[in-house]
Amino acid sequence: MKLRRRRNDRAPGTLLHPAALQIGTRTVTLPNAVSASFAVTGYPREVSAGWLEPLLTYPGHLDVSLHIQPIPQQVAAMRLRRQLARLESASRADAQRGKLADFAAEAAADDATDLADSLARGHGRLFKVGLYLTIHAPSEPELAAEIERVRALASSLLLDAQPATFRALQGWTTNLPLGVDSLGATRTFDTAALAAAFPFTSPDLPSEVGETSVLYGLSATSCGVILWDRYAQDNHNSVVLARSGAGKSFFTKLETLRLLYQGVEVAVVDPEDEYARLARAVGGTCLHLGAAGVRWNPFDLPASQSSRDDVLSRRAMFLQTLIATMLGDQLGPQARAVLDSAIVATYQAAGITRDPTTWTRPAPLLTDLVTTLTRNTSPAGAELAAQLAPYVSGSYRELFDGPTTTSPSGHLIVFSLRDLPEEMKAVGTLLALDAIWRQVANPSHRRKRLVVVDEAWLLMKEPEGARFLFRMAKAARKHWAGLAVVTQDAADLLGSELGQAIVANAANQILLRQAPQAIGAVGDAFDLTDGERQFLLTAERGEALLVAGPASRAAFHVIASPQEIELITTDPAQLHRLDQQGPEAARPTSFTEIGIADHDDDGESDPL
């Protein structure tokens, strides 16, 4: 039978279809190809996760379709009772006649009993599942060879694939993306068996798909997808390591956007203002540190009286870490002692003590601390005051010469450091992390959060900054938060004990293309095989390796929709094209660009 229609007879708006279609007993012939369809009628008794992967990764042109229809609970229970009755009746009849036991029937009865128990307890459901294959080839001889190979592959999986004889057209349409099962060759699956057959199940990643699973991309070794839930791991931290231009920021922004879909709150330390376009699109908040009129007072305390009693002590310890980063050197014992007493004296001069009722009073400023140090009679106090002079009366004073301008809030907070001088980037990163941590550690607002530190080498090169980041990496899990460390400098991260400890405390490790000079250190730190090292040396932009322990490793290619690419791209050519489209293309729906505060009125807890 032939179905023909001239191309110029097609009415406007109608669907495209082949110019000629010839239907045979087992094949459907198209103008430039021929296809044959099969229905899977026999299945193995037990399967593991990703057992359909060999069919999905078949190198030839093979369409695999899975049609799923849930069975109502009442109908499923009734069918199971009937099946159990039939099996029990057959077993008793054989026993009465003196026949040997039918082990296959006994196994089927056990399976039916387990299914009935699971159904009764609400632990699972039953589904009608149809698995169909359509093989394509340029000619009939080539099709015959492909059929032999596919049926052999199916047999190795203990699948019985039967040809759709006299139903070739129905088999062909069943494998089209129409959602119509024209063959109706179904088999009953329970929830566990169906989950194992789901195409999104990857044999490379044994971790289960959770509520906050994120699509990372397509597997580089198969046609499967890589879904990963960082909050289902031992800890929620991650390390993204790649050389410049490999796509690490693109991947991080893509994961950030998709985690926002799942209700995860995200805070980003952005040195280059790369997340502003994304923040505009999702109604987030972008805080430009170093911009005109932006003030940030690190002496601010929480106003809530329900906070911990040691808040003042923790604030003093953070100020010591901050000042050590400002000075670019680790403080000695004498200098640290002088600084600690000066901080306490500065708070007391402002009327603030360990009594939480005094925390609502105006906090002192950095210039007040310098004044206190100047009055100190020890040489260390005078030296510290002189070293802090640029931050109170010199080139860096603008950020610290007044009270905090505003407080950050929202589901996406971006701390942009682009307006800060290069010498202030590490200080700005530390201040931003401190403000983020106050929200993360607030017990009255506990929820899933992700803290992204882009270009973390800016903080890792400072000893105090690296130590603060390490403490955050160890304490984040206790507060249902994850720390994502993103850097292009492997030496700063892996060349120190603190950097190696941060990597060791990251259950999620994503590696993109590496430079030949760094592959040795990266390979040793992440225990990479020779093949994985070669993959990272030759990876294209957007190709990555997910390392989550010895048993969970998968190479994948990052994929994003055109709309996502517009929001997260940093390619100058693409950004220029988007800018040429007019301001409407990047107009925010609800976007705030404001100053920054380092306090949360509901509480405080530092990882110090």
Side-chain angles (χ1 to χ4, degrees), residues 80-165:
L80 281 175
R81 284 196 298 269
R82 290 179 180 176
Q83 180 70 6
L84 282 171
R86 283 194 294 266
L87 293 172
E88 183 66 23
S89 176
S91 177
R92 289 182 179 180
D94 291 342
Q96 291 175 357
R97 296 172 185 175
K99 293 183 178 181
L100 295 176
D102 187 350
F103 298 107
E106 291 182 0
D110 293 340
D111 291 343
T113 302
D114 293 339
L115 284 177
D117 180 72
S118 176
L119 197 65
R121 297 176 183 273
H123 295 166
R125 296 189 60 182
L126 295 185
F127 303 85
K128 286 183 178 180
V129 179
L131 178 59
Y132 307 102
L133 313 174
T134 295
I135 306 168
H136 302 267
S139 62
E140 291 193 6
E142 293 177 285
L143 178 64
E146 288 289 329
I147 289 174
E148 291 298 326
R149 285 191 285 267
V150 172
R151 297 194 71 175
L153 177 60
S155 298
S156 68
L157 299 175
L158 301 182
L159 298 176
D160 185 10
Q162 295 296 328
T165 307

Side-chain angles (χ1 to χ4, degrees), residues 256-267:
T256 296
L257 177 59
R258 291 172 176 173
L259 282 175
L260 290 173
Y261 298 155
Q262 312 296 337
V264 178
E265 289 189 2
V266 182

Side-chain angles (χ1 to χ4, degrees), residues 174-250:
T174 297
N175 280 278
L176 293 177
L178 302 176
V180 177
D181 184 0
S182 302
L183 291 178
T186 59
R187 181 75 174 268
T188 301
F189 277 43
D190 67 336
T191 304
L194 180 59
F198 201 54
F200 282 6
T201 302
S202 174
D204 301 326
L205 299 174
S207 178
E208 297 182 359
V209 177
E211 296 180 355
T212 50
S213 294
V214 171
L215 173 63
Y216 277 4
L218 295 178
S219 174
T221 58
S222 66
C223 64
V225 298
I226 301 298
L227 287 173
W228 191 251
D229 186 0
R230 67 163 62 230
Y231 295 96
Q233 311 310 312
D234 296 337
N235 61 68
H236 318 319
N237 302 332
S238 67
V239 171
V240 181
L241 188 61
R243 74 176 192 180
S244 179
K248 62 184 183 301
S249 295
F250 186 95

Side-chain angles (χ1 to χ4, degrees), residues 320-493:
Q320 294 177 32
T321 301
L322 176 65
I323 291 173
T325 304
M326 288 179 174
L327 303 183
D329 192 11
Q330 189 172 0
L331 298 177
Q334 183 178 2
R336 187 173 292 274
V338 171
L339 179 61
D340 181 68
S341 61
I343 292 173
V344 174
T346 303
Y347 274 116
Q348 291 177 348
I352 298 176
T353 64
R354 295 184 181 275
D355 184 1
T357 58
T358 64
W359 297 349
T360 57
R361 298 174 181 174
L365 301 176
L366 187 62
T367 183
D368 298 324
L369 175 63
V370 173
T371 302
T372 304
L373 288 171
T374 304
R375 296 172 182 171
N376 193 291
T377 57
S378 65
E383 183 179 357
L384 286 172
Q387 290 178 316
L388 288 175
Y391 296 95
V392 296
S393 59
S395 303
Y396 307 145
R397 71 182 186 280
E398 187 172 357
L399 185 62
F400 302 102
D401 65 351
T404 299
T405 54
T406 189
S407 176
S409 61
H411 55 279
L412 174 61
I413 305 173
V414 178
F415 297 85
S416 176
L417 310 181
R418 185 181 60 179
D419 297 324
L420 286 174
E422 192 66 28
E423 296 78 9
M424 286 281 290
K425 289 290 179 69
V427 175
T429 302
L430 190 58
L431 290 171
L433 286 176
D434 173 61
I436 293 170
W437 186 254
R438 295 191 181 203
Q439 295 189 356
V440 169
N442 187 353
S444 61
H445 291 82
R446 198 179 304 278
R447 64 198 65 184
K448 288 184 179 179
R449 288 186 172 95
L450 178 66
V451 181
V452 179
V453 183
D454 206 344
E455 303 297 348
W457 61 271
L458 293 171
L459 196 60
M460 291 299 301
K461 66 182 181 181
E462 302 292 341
E464 292 293 340
R467 196 171 291 111
F468 185 90
L469 200 63
F470 167 67
R471 289 191 289 264
M472 177 177 284
K474 294 191 66 175
R477 181 188 61 84
K478 302 177 182 178
H479 302 282
W480 211 7
L483 174 66
V485 177
V486 185
T487 183
Q488 64 182 1
D489 199 330
D492 283 338
L493 187 63

